[in-house]
Amino acid sequence: TRVVKRFVEWTFAELQLHRIELRCARGNAASTAVAGRLGFSLEGTLRDAERLGDGYTDVLVFSRLSTDPAPGP
């Protein structure tokens, strides 16, 4: 979480990006929690977008804008 937080801060401040996306497989609780802790909003689901083993899984798309409030400590 600390590394992603610093990366997000850097991309907004130094690269002047306006939007960042995080994507993770449905069921990846650790990555979903990182997105939540850093103030990302769930925007949608890409159905069967990633192949895992012998099947496919949905991918969750989270985003944060440079104008969104920064998360707490």
Side-chain angles (χ1 to χ4, degrees):
T1 300
R2 289 188 315 254
V3 171
V4 176
K5 180 181 180 189
R6 181 65 188 113
F7 178 75
V8 169
E9 291 168 350
W10 179 78
T11 57
F12 287 151
E14 299 297 323
L15 299 180
Q16 301 293 303
L17 294 183
H18 177 63
R19 175 186 169 85
I20 298 174
E21 286 185 5
L22 294 179
R23 296 180 180 204
C24 64
R26 180 185 301 281
N28 184 334
S31 293
T32 300
V34 169
R37 284 192 296 271
L38 296 180
F40 281 74
S41 298
L42 178 62
E43 288 198 333
T45 302
L46 304 174
R47 298 181 309 140
D48 283 352
E50 185 175 321
R51 186 168 186 156
L52 291 178
D54 62 350
Y56 292 87
T57 189
D58 296 345
V59 172
L60 304 178
V61 180
F62 297 88
S63 73
R64 187 160 148 213
L65 304 178
S66 61
T67 53
D68 288 343

